[in-house]
């Protein structure tokens, strides 16, 4: 079906992600380039993938195809549009032929397996709308409003992710099948990681928050995503007397760590009323928490002002801590230490923060509230080191977030491409960043720019899906360099199961002036119709494609049917050809010949006779058909009334003689009695008509 | 568009249909059915437009459609029609026509009756292949289907075999069918023809053929004016809306430039027929309103006192006739609104009933608009 040589070189160079099709869960992922280092497009060969053949470069992890016996056999593969077919060969590892028959199984290895998850189709479809909106909103807006627009787009993307996450969560809760449940939960965690990364990118890159607001945004980010502790908070607040709850102080700490001062104070006030003895202490702490200066989103205060206020407040906290105001209550003392930004005190609450980036934000809140974007990287690195403390190594998600804090956009995209099991995320994020004009400088050493490369990969994945191909079209449209070529190659591979689907595909091609594809689709449909003996439909399709050769072929079928049956089928079509009749000579003839029949049927003999003669003299009729036409003239010649004029009769005679003289051998060879009788009869009729017409014309002229 | 609720359903929707309301019902419609196409696993689904608790007195409504039940369907759903309150007739791309029954007490769907290969191609190798059934129309208990094989079938819901089959009724693909009267049907085909068939006649030929002049633009959908049966609307491949008066001529009375691509469905509002709705491959859904000029006249007539009601009624009727059939070049009497801004993928189907509109798209979403005339 595919001609791999036609693939644009990009596909092969692309990082093919080989998630195994079928049973493999989301756990199987990672980049895998199937095939030898230099394998070009169209190389169908042995020695691929799982360990066999040429060693893979060490930067590209290999991919195990589950079920394929790669330990003892070599595997062979063939490239498809978005997938690779893999099967076992007869050849053993050492290259010698291994007599045992191989299992007759073929594996389909897909690049983008998330495409096939039912619930995610919502994500693909809804985000497609947002993507299209973003492409349409060209940079008519400048400066601030443009940025607001982009931030809104980013938020829309995130809300789609969240909606999808909720659906997936719902599905996980409602299903009884534990395997399915596990699968759903994995998806939920992947989606939530995606949203976490996207949100951070939105703050740092899209919105590019400046010192001050930056911290507020990061706080929101942490509050939104660190939800492991939410149940604890609910427990405590829901209990009869929260202050007696054993987790009371944990919840207060959580509020403080997340900078949720009002909530923390509210809780503390309950404790205070229950504990009148230490009322004073509570008051002081409450006062400190109330007075804490925070950056504001509006521009009413300058950073210097804030820093001054901050300094002052900080000193006040320091004073209370040093004079031992809180010494009697270790909980309150630790809160005060946190307010002072004491790293050790904050680190003690590690369990309540759960992640290093929470620690980072808390640390920034209480020690560097006016942190500048460019300083983030230092705090981020040290926070991670402090938090993990050498006990565990950073996970992929940590590395991605770290790269974001370091403003290494390309690193973020690269890591995400490796870790996530879909192209959706990187394609859309990169596109958004590109619209923010953040990726211009970066050029790939292959293909077009990174945005286009990722969009192409994503859209190719969509096209490999049974139903999502329609979405892919619009993505290709917005890839200026290779989009068109990709679309041309993919659209031809869409199976055309019904005419309606064919019409939809055709519309896509026609809108983009893809004449070659239009022709091929029409031809496929015309062939199908022809095979089903639907000549009328077949003709319609070839007229639509303006395919003269095929129209001729079908017209011949019509004429053949006519010769065999003596009547036309599909009159409604042939009578209504209109201007499309001029598409091919044969079609013109068919239409005109049918017109002759109609005229004859309506007893308009003179017109019919004239038309019949023109068909031959103007060489519209194929020679093979002349005999039929002359036979059709017979009844006209035998009419009571004289129809053919003398001149016309001579013409007819000439036609007959041309026909018989032109191929005498053939005539003789056929040795057909019927044929000779026909010719004889014609000659007789012509002669008689001539005699009558001479008499008639002589009389008319004479009188 | 706040009064529109949407739901992404993870399947491309080819048909949406309201369940007909019982004769005496006063409530707006609530239940609708959808059919999907081009999925590996296609489904017929029954939805509730929203729980009644939410639709408060002020008519505000925020819930999204809720799935009641669904069932697997073999092949793409090409067309779908409610036979009565409980039964839906579904046309499949495999050529099969199935009646599904919706059991409302336990919310399940089951296949009630099936005509396998109602539409088929006679292959040259004498094997029978199914041909897509493209259109179905019901007038309980009669069901008429048309297909890519150019065949017209007449079934009865309670009979096993076809009551009548017209083989080779059309040399091209029949795209849609509708009842003109109880014994006459209208079909449209892919070479721009509108044909009337009288099922009482045994001759296998149409009683009348109408056609578009010249270009033979395929027609994809057809609907008949609910009160004035001689007014017929069709939609074509070029997105053009044609209005025909089947009492006269063989050409459309008016051609209205509309969508930029195939018009997939056209529907007169069943009880308010000076409103018409069309949807298209270009992702738009248009509301054609010819009542605008009418609304001015009754206000003038209101001065007349008691007889107003009667007078204005007759005026409305007259102006409706002239509105759809006028050759008047002043086309501005018609108010046209696109109900979907910024849509990109095809709107395959729509249905209107009472104040409610439901439509489904290739972007795998269904939309319900509960306040059409608000």
């Amino acid at each position: 079906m595919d001609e791999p040589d036609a693939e644009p070189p990009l596909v092969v160079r692309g990082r093919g992600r080989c998630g195994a099709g079928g049973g493999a869960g989301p756990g199987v992922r990672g980049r895998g380039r199937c095939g030898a280092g230099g394998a070009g497009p169209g190389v169908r060969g042995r020695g691929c993938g799982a360990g066999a053949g040429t060693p893979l470069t060490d930067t590209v992890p290999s991919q195990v195809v589950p079920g394929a016996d790669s330990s003892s056999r070599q595997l062979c593969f063939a490239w498809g549009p978005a997938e690779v077919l893999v099967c076992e060969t007869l050849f053993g590892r050492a290259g010698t032929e291994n007599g045992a028959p191989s299992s007759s199984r073929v594996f389909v290895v897909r690049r983008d397996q998330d495409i096939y998850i039912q619930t995610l189709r919502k994500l693909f479809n809804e985000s497609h709308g947002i993507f299209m909106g973003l492409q349409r909103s060209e940079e008519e807006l400048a400066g601030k409003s443009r940025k607001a627009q982009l931030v809104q787009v980013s938020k829309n993307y995130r809300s789609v992710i969240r909606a999808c996450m909720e659906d997936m969560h719902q599905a996980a809760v409602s299903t009884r099948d534990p395997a399915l449940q596990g699968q759903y939960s994995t998806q939920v965690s992947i989606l939530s990681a995606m949203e976490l990364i996207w949100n951070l990118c939105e703050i740092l890159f899209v919105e590019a928050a400046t010192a001050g607001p930056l911290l507020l945004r990061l706080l929101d980010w942490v509050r939104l995503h660190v939800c492991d502790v939410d149940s604890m908070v609910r427990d405590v607040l829901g209990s009869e007397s929260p202050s007696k709850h054993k987790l009371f102080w944990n919840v207060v700490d959580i509020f403080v760590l997340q900078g949720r001062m009002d909530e923390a104070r509210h809780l503390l006030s309950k404790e205070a009323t229950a504990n009148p003895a230490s009322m004073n202490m509570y008051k002081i702490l409450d006062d400190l928490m109330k007075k804490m200066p925070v950056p504001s989103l509006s521009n009413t205060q300058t950073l210097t002002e804030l820093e001054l206020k901050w300094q002052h407040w900080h000193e006040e906290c320091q004073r209370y801590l040093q004079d031992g105001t809180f010494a009697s209550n270790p909980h309150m003392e630790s809160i005060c230490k946190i307010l002072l930004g004491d790293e050790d005190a904050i680190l003690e609450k590690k369990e309540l923060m759960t992640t290093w980036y929470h620690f980072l934000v808390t640390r920034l809140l209480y020690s560097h509230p006016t942190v500048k974007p460019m300083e983030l990287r230092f705090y981020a690195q040290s926070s991670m080191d402090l938090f993990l403390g050498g006990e565990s190594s950073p996970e992929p998600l940590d590395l991605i977030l770290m790269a974001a804090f370091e403003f290494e956009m390309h690193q973020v995209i690269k890591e995400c491409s490796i870790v996530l099991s879909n192209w959706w995320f990187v394609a859309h994020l990169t596109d958004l960043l590109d619209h923010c004009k953040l990726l211009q400088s970066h050029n790939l050493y292959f293909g077009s720019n990174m945005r286009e490369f990722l969009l192409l990969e994503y859209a190719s994945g969509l096209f490999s899906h049974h139903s999502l191909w329609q979405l892919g079209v619009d993505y290709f449209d917005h890839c200026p360099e290779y989009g068109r070529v990709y679309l041309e190659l993919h659209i031809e591979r869409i199976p055309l199961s019904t005419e309606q689907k064919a019409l939809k595909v055709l519309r896509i091609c026609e809108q983009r002036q893809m004449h070659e594809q239009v022709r091929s689709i029409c031809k496929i449909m015309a062939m199908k119709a022809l095979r089903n003996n639907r000549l009328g439909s077949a003709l319609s399709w070839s007229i639509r494609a303006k395919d003269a050769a095929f129209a001729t072929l079908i017209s011949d079928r019509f004429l053949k049917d006519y010769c065999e049956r003596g009547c036309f089928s599909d009159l409604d079509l042939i009578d209504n050809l209109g201007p499309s009749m001029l598409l091919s000579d044969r079609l013109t003839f068919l239409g005109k010949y049918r017109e002759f029949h109609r005229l004859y049927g309506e007893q308009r003999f003179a017109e019919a006779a004239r038309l019949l003669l023109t068909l031959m003299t103007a060489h519209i009729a194929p020679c093979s058909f002349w005999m039929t036409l002359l036979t059709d003239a017979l009844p006209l010649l035998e009419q009571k009334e004289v129809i053919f004029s003398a001149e016309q009769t001579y013409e007819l005679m000439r036609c007959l003689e041309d026909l018989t003289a032109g191929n005498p051998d053939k005539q003789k060879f056929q040795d057909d009695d019927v044929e000779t009788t026909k010719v004889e009869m014609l000659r007789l009729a012509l002669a008689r008509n001539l005699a009558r017409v001479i008499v008639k014309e002589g009389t008319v002229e004479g009188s | 568009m706040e009064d529109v609720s949407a739901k992404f359903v993870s399947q491309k929707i080819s048909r949406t249909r309201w369940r007909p309301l019982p004769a005496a019902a006063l409530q707006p419609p609530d239940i609708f059915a959808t059919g999907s196409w081009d999925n590996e696993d296609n489904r017929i689904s029954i939805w509730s437009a929203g729980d009644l608790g939410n639709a408060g007195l002020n008519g505000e409504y925020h819930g999204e459609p809720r799935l009641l039940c669904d069932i697997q369907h073999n092949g793409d759903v090409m067309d779908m029609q409610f036979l009565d309150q409980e039964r839906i007739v579904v046309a499949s791309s495999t050529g099969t026509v199935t009646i599904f029954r919706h059991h409302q007490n336990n919310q399940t769907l089951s296949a009630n009756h099936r005509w396998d290969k109602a539409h088929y191609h006679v292959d040259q190798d004498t094997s029978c292949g199914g041909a897509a059934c493209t259109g179905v129309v019901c007038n309980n208990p009669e069901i008429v289907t048309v297909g890519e094989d150019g065949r017209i079938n007449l079934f009865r819901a309670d009979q096993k075999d076809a009551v009548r089959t017209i083989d080779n009724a059309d040399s091209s693909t029949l795209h849609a069918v509708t009842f003109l009267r109880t014994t006459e049907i209208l079909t449209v085909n892919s070479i721009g023809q509108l044909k009337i068939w009288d099922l009482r006649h045994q001759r296998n030929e149409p009683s009348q053929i109408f056609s578009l002049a010249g270009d033979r633009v395929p027609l994809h959908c057809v609907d008949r004016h609910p009160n004035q049966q001689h007014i017929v609307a069709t939609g074509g491949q070029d997105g053009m809306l044609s209005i025909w008066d089947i009492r006269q001529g063989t050409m459309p009375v008016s051609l209205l430039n509309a969508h930029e691509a195939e018009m997939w469905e056209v529907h007169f509002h069943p009880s308010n027929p000076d409103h018409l709705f069309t949807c298209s491959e270009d992702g738009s859904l248009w509301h054609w309103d010819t009542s605008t000029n009418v609304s001015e006249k009754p206000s003038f007539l209101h001065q007349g006192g008691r007889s107003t009601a009667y007078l204005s009624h007759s005026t409305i009727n007259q102006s409706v006739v002239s509105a759809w059939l006028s050759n008047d070049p002043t086309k501005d009497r018609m108010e046209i609104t696109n109900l979907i801004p910024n849509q990109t993928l095809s709107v395959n189907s729509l249905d209107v009933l009472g104040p409610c509109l439901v439509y489904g798209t290739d972007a795998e979403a269904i939309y319900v608009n509960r306040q059409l005339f608000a």
Side-chain angles (χ1 to χ4, degrees):
Chain A
M1 126 205 137
D2 332 314
E3 191 50 65
D5 300 270
E7 291 275 354
L10 227 160
V11 171
V12 181
R13 292 245 201 132
R15 296 171 286 181
R17 188 182 292 111
C18 303
V28 187
R29 67 189 102 90
R31 287 187 299 183
R33 190 165 58 187
C34 289
V43 177
R44 292 159 184 269
R46 276 186 291 141
C48 130
T54 331
L56 299 161
T57 46
D58 39 284
T59 54
V60 189
S62 65
Q63 181 67 50
V64 177
V65 180
D69 179 17
S70 61
S71 54
S72 62
R73 293 171 187 287
Q74 292 192 15
L75 302 176
C76 70
F77 71 97
W79 292 101
E83 34 193 42
V84 182
L85 291 178
V86 177
C87 68
E88 296 171 12
T89 63
L90 279 176
F91 294 92
R93 291 276 295 180
T96 52
E97 199 161 330
N98 179 348
S102 63
S103 68
S104 51
R105 281 191 292 177
V106 177
F107 303 90
V108 181
V109 182
R110 281 167 177 162
R111 294 152 178 246
D112 192 342
Q113 40 171 331
D114 277 6
I115 289 277
Y116 298 90
I117 295 172
Q118 189 74 3
T119 326
L120 287 184
R121 282 172 70 162
K122 184 185 162 122
L123 176 71
F124 303 137
N125 276 291
E126 215 169 341
S127 59
H128 166 259
I130 301 171
F131 173 83
M132 291 304 287
L134 178 58
Q135 312 304 312
R136 268 195 290 257
S137 74
E138 269 323 308
E139 291 90 31
E140 65 229 5
L141 298 168
K144 257 201 174 141
S145 47
R146 172 70 178 163
K147 184 183 267 185
Q149 190 184 27
L150 290 166
V151 170
Q152 191 51 50
V153 169
S154 173
K155 285 187 174 150
N156 290 346
Y157 276 128
R158 283 201 292 124
S159 80
V160 176
I161 302 178
R162 286 203 92 92
C164 215
M165 222 158 86
E166 266 165 39
D167 276 12
M168 198 74 91
H169 182 71
Q170 211 58 46
V173 170
S174 58
T175 186
R176 295 250 172 84
D177 179 1
L180 214 54
Q181 203 164 17
Q183 216 174 326
Y184 285 137
S185 315
T186 321
Q187 280 302 323
V188 170
S189 58
I190 291 175
L191 282 169
S192 95
M194 271 160 52
E195 211 257 337
L196 176 77
I197 300 166
W198 192 298
N199 197 351
L200 185 60
C201 291
E202 178 184 309
I203 295 166
L204 297 178
F205 308 144
V206 182
E207 191 180 359
T210 50
L214 175 64
L215 182 72
L216 293 180
R217 291 272 177 266
L218 288 175
L219 273 174
D220 287 340
W221 175 64
V222 161
R223 285 172 199 160
L224 191 62
H225 290 98
V226 179
C227 35
D228 300 355
V229 289
D230 280 359
S231 59
M232 194 197 294
V233 173
R234 260 197 310 276
D235 270 4
V236 171
L237 291 183
S239 69
E240 260 172 49
S241 59
S243 53
K244 296 281 186 303
H245 199 283
K246 62 180 189 307
L247 293 174
F248 173 79
W249 284 105
N250 279 354
V251 172
V252 176
D253 285 345
I254 288 167
F255 284 146
V256 173
L257 289 170
Q258 294 189 2
R260 292 152 79 173
M261 287 307 178
D262 292 340
E263 286 157 276
R265 283 173 54 209
H266 179 72
L267 264 189
L268 276 178
S269 70
K270 287 189 175 166
E271 171 76 3
T273 45
N275 227 347
S278 46
M279 190 61 129
N280 195 33
M281 207 158 67
Y282 282 111
K283 245 192 185 139
I284 294 169
L285 187 61
D286 185 70
D287 197 43
L288 281 180
M289 285 163 79
K290 194 171 82 185
K291 277 197 292 188
M292 178 179 157
V294 282
S296 76
L297 284 174
S298 55
N299 287 334
T300 48
Q301 65 174 355
T302 62
L303 276 184
T304 345
E305 268 173 4
L306 176 70
E307 267 165 11
L308 269 175
K309 275 191 201 164
W310 172 266
Q311 208 56 47
H312 187 77
W313 175 80
H314 199 83
E315 277 160 16
E316 198 180 342
C317 294
Q318 196 84 46
R319 241 184 353 260
Y320 282 119
L321 187 68
Q322 275 163 4
D323 63 17
T325 312
F326 305 115
S328 59
N329 188 326
H331 293 299
M332 298 230 265
E333 189 169 30
S334 92
I335 289 177
C336 187
K337 276 184 183 164
I338 293 173
L339 292 184
L340 277 167
D342 183 330
E343 270 165 23
D344 297 324
I346 299 175
L347 264 182
E348 264 174 39
K349 313 287 177 194
K350 204 168 166 177
E351 259 70 67
L352 298 179
M353 290 186 290
T354 63
T355 59
W356 66 269
Y357 44 89
H358 189 336
F359 172 57
L360 164 69
V361 175
T362 308
R363 201 176 145 207
L364 290 175
L365 174 66
Y366 293 112
S367 48
H368 312 278
T370 57
V371 64
K372 295 186 185 66
M374 282 308 142
E375 298 163 351
L376 270 179
R377 61 172 68 207
F378 309 114
Y379 297 119
Q381 191 61 55
S382 62
S383 299
M384 188 164 90
D385 294 344
L386 279 172
F387 193 85
L388 298 180
E391 290 163 25
S392 55
S393 54
E395 286 181 23
L397 179 62
D398 301 327
L399 295 178
I400 293 169
L401 294 176
M402 183 55 75
F405 282 124
E406 287 169 351
F407 283 82
E408 297 284 349
M409 252 168 273
H410 297 107
Q411 190 63 28
V412 173
I413 291 163
K414 189 181 152 193
E415 296 284 338
C416 289
S417 309
I418 297 171
V419 175
L420 295 171
S421 54
N422 60 58
W423 289 110
W424 179 89
F425 181 79
V426 278
H428 286 85
L429 182 62
T430 311
D431 175 62
L432 180 64
L433 295 179
D434 191 70
H435 275 86
C436 300
K437 305 207 177 301
L438 292 169
L439 293 170
Q440 254 85 355
S441 60
H442 192 78
N443 281 317
L444 297 181
Y445 61 94
F446 53 85
S448 180
N449 58 22
M450 184 153 72
R451 167 186 174 271
E452 175 157 340
F453 172 71
L454 293 171
L455 285 180
L456 288 172
E457 286 298 315
Y458 173 60
S460 302
L462 290 176
F463 256 94
S464 72
H465 189 275
H466 189 268
S467 335
L468 291 172
W469 55 274
Q470 272 170 308
L471 300 177
V473 176
D474 286 323
Y475 286 95
F476 282 143
D477 277 351
H478 290 98
C479 296
E481 206 161 331
Y482 291 102
R484 168 98 182 188
V485 191
Y486 267 63
L487 182 58
E488 283 172 1
L489 288 169
H490 277 292
I491 203 97
E492 284 186 330
R493 291 168 167 78
I494 301 286
L496 306 170
S497 46
T498 62
E499 286 196 10
Q500 184 162 0
K501 189 168 176 185
L503 286 173
K504 282 181 184 267
V505 179
L506 206 54
R507 174 62 62 180
I508 290 168
C509 297
E510 278 176 348
Q511 272 169 351
R512 289 159 184 80
Q513 273 95 43
M514 291 158 57
H515 304 295
E516 197 52 45
Q517 282 69 31
V518 168
R519 279 197 41 197
S520 105
I521 291 164
C522 288
K523 193 147 200 160
I524 291 169
M525 294 313 287
M527 270 318 280
K528 267 191 186 171
L530 194 64
R531 221 176 297 137
N532 290 327
N533 248 330
R534 301 276 304 149
L535 293 187
S537 279
L539 191 56
S540 293
W541 282 109
S542 50
I543 289 173
R544 179 151 185 186
K546 305 215 167 28
D547 186 341
F550 208 70
T552 304
L553 184 91
I554 296 164
S555 310
D556 279 339
R557 276 281 297 271
F558 268 115
L559 293 170
K560 197 177 125 224
D561 279 6
Y562 169 74
C563 291
E564 282 167 8
R565 283 189 273 165
C567 65
F568 279 107
S569 57
D570 303 330
L571 281 182
D572 50 349
L573 175 69
I574 302 171
D575 281 346
N576 274 291
L577 284 174
S580 50
M581 194 194 281
L582 301 173
L583 179 61
S584 90
D585 290 350
R586 202 57 50 83
L587 192 58
T588 318
F589 171 65
L590 178 66
K592 288 287 169 195
Y593 185 52
R594 162 62 196 154
E595 199 179 322
F596 160 75
H597 278 262
R598 217 182 54 228
L599 292 172
Y600 187 85
E602 290 165 9
Q603 310 230 322
R604 290 150 73 183
F605 296 131
E607 284 167 75
R610 208 177 311 130
L611 181 60
L612 187 69
L613 198 59
T614 329
L615 285 178
M616 281 183 285
T617 51
H619 292 277
I620 299 170
C623 285
S624 57
F625 215 75
W626 280 29
M627 203 40 159
T628 319
L629 292 180
L630 286 167
T631 324
D632 283 334
L634 258 180
L636 286 171
L637 292 167
E638 299 292 344
Q639 289 286 329
K640 262 193 192 138
E641 203 182 333
V642 179
I643 291 157
F644 287 102
S645 69
E647 208 174 317
Q648 284 176 324
T649 318
Y650 286 129
E651 290 275 358
L652 277 177
M653 291 167 109
R654 197 172 56 81
C655 290
L656 182 62
E657 290 318 308
D658 280 359
L659 190 63
T660 45
N663 42 8
D665 298 343
K666 214 176 175 183
Q667 286 293 327
K668 271 176 209 155
F669 188 71
Q670 279 187 344
D671 194 28
D672 198 324
D673 280 348
V674 184
E675 211 62 20
T676 17
T677 329
K678 236 187 215 171
V679 173
E680 289 307 317
M681 270 172 65
L682 268 172
R683 283 196 178 129
L684 182 64
L686 284 167
R688 279 172 45 169
N689 189 65
L690 191 57
R692 283 162 64 198
V693 81
I694 288 170
V695 172
K696 188 194 162 202
E697 281 174 5
T699 337
V700 172
E701 276 160 31
S703 62
Chain B
M1 305 298 290
E2 310 83 43
D3 48 348
V4 175
S5 53
K7 186 173 177 70
F8 283 83
V9 293
S10 294
Q11 50 187 342
K12 293 201 273 192
I13 298 297
S14 60
R15 280 295 181 262
T16 54
R17 294 285 179 257
W18 287 112
R19 186 177 77 188
L21 292 170
L26 291 171
Q27 273 130 2
D30 178 43
I31 307 288
F32 63 93
T34 62
S36 74
W37 78 286
D38 203 26
N39 288 310
E40 276 163 306
D41 170 32
N42 287 297
R43 311 194 80 82
I44 307 286
S45 316
I46 305 282
W47 305 81
S48 163
D51 42 338
L52 293 163
N54 266 359
L57 286 171
N58 50 359
E60 260 181 75
Y61 172 76
H62 298 290
E64 56 176 28
R66 191 164 47 88
L67 182 69
L68 296 179
C69 52
D70 62 353
I71 192 168
Q72 207 235 327
H73 179 258
N74 215 351
D76 294 350
V77 175
M78 301 295 286
D79 199 5
M80 190 162 76
Q81 189 98 34
F82 271 93
L83 185 67
D84 52 27
Q85 293 272 316
E86 290 195 321
R87 289 179 292 173
I88 321 162
V89 186
V90 180
S92 162
S93 63
T94 58
T96 304
V97 178
T98 319
I99 301 182
F100 288 98
R101 183 183 283 276
H102 174 212
H103 305 275
Q104 288 172 46
N105 38 9
N106 57 355
Q107 294 300 354
T108 51
L109 270 172
S110 62
N112 182 251
H113 190 85
R114 190 191 313 268
W115 291 280
D116 279 314
K117 298 251 170 73
H119 292 269
Y120 58 93
H121 288 302
V122 185
D123 209 65
Q124 279 170 333
D125 318 311
T126 68
S127 67
C128 274
C133 176
T134 51
V136 59
V137 68
C138 315
N139 188 5
N140 199 5
E142 281 173 336
I143 300 164
V144 177
T145 65
V146 295
E148 277 182 16
D149 55 356
R151 191 171 275 116
I152 299 178
N153 284 313
L154 172 65
F155 298 108
R156 259 172 206 285
D158 44 6
Q159 283 180 26
K160 204 163 163 273
D161 295 313
V163 177
R164 169 108 189 258
T165 297
I166 308 179
D167 287 325
N168 245 329
D170 203 305
S171 58
S172 48
T173 299
L174 286 170
H175 280 146
V177 60
T178 191
F179 270 104
L180 182 61
R181 297 182 191 88
T182 42
T183 55
E184 282 178 297
I185 55 164
L186 283 167
T187 61
V188 288
N189 68 11
S190 64
I191 52 171
Q193 292 171 326
L194 174 71
K195 296 182 181 177
I196 302 181
W197 305 80
D198 191 335
L199 296 173
R200 285 168 302 187
H201 289 194
Q202 286 311 306
R203 260 180 355 124
N204 287 343
E205 264 163 41
S207 52
Q208 246 181 307
I209 300 181
F210 302 84
S211 60
L212 291 170
D215 308 341
R216 312 163 0 100
V217 178
L219 294 175
H220 286 296
C221 49
V222 58
D223 196 25
R224 184 211 62 191
H225 195 287
N227 307 333
Q228 288 153 341
Q229 303 183 334
H230 57 276
I231 303 176
V232 171
T234 63
Q237 183 151 290
D238 51 0
M240 192 93 85
L241 174 70
S242 324
I243 307 287
W244 312 67
D245 182 349
I246 56 163
R247 295 171 306 185
Q248 50 193 335
T250 57
M251 311 250 281
V253 178
S254 50
L255 286 169
L256 300 162
N257 251 322
H259 302 282
E260 281 157 23
E262 286 87 351
M263 185 189 289
W264 292 126
E265 280 206 66
V266 56
H267 285 289
F268 283 101
H269 192 283
S271 54
N272 205 352
D274 31 0
H275 295 266
L276 181 93
F277 297 86
T278 60
C279 64
S280 158
E281 175 73 20
D282 67 5
S284 57
L285 192 157
W286 287 16
H287 176 182
W288 307 67
D289 181 0
T290 55
S291 64
T292 37
N293 57 338
V294 179
S295 61
E296 289 157 18
K297 280 179 191 166
S299 70
F300 167 74
L301 284 162
H302 266 296
Q303 296 164 344
R306 277 182 200 170
S307 57
T308 310
Y310 173 73
L311 271 177
S312 64
H313 185 70
S314 67
T315 320
I316 286 171
N317 260 350
Q318 270 174 13
S319 52
V320 168
V321 176
S322 53
W324 289 121
L325 292 181
S326 77
N327 289 320
D328 205 327
T330 54
K331 287 276 158 59
D332 52 348
R333 328 171 63 186
M334 207 175 284
E335 198 172 290
I336 302 163
T337 12
N338 183 4
L339 297 181
I340 316 174
N342 290 336
Q343 174 91 27
T344 51
L345 289 187
S346 170
V347 183
N348 292 324
S349 180
L350 72 92
D351 199 20
V352 274
L353 188 61
C356 301
L357 166 74
V358 59
Y359 58 95
T361 69
D362 273 345
E364 309 192 340
I366 47 179
Y367 298 83
V368 177
N369 183 341
R370 315 256 298 184
Q371 286 158 310
L372 213 43
F373 302 112

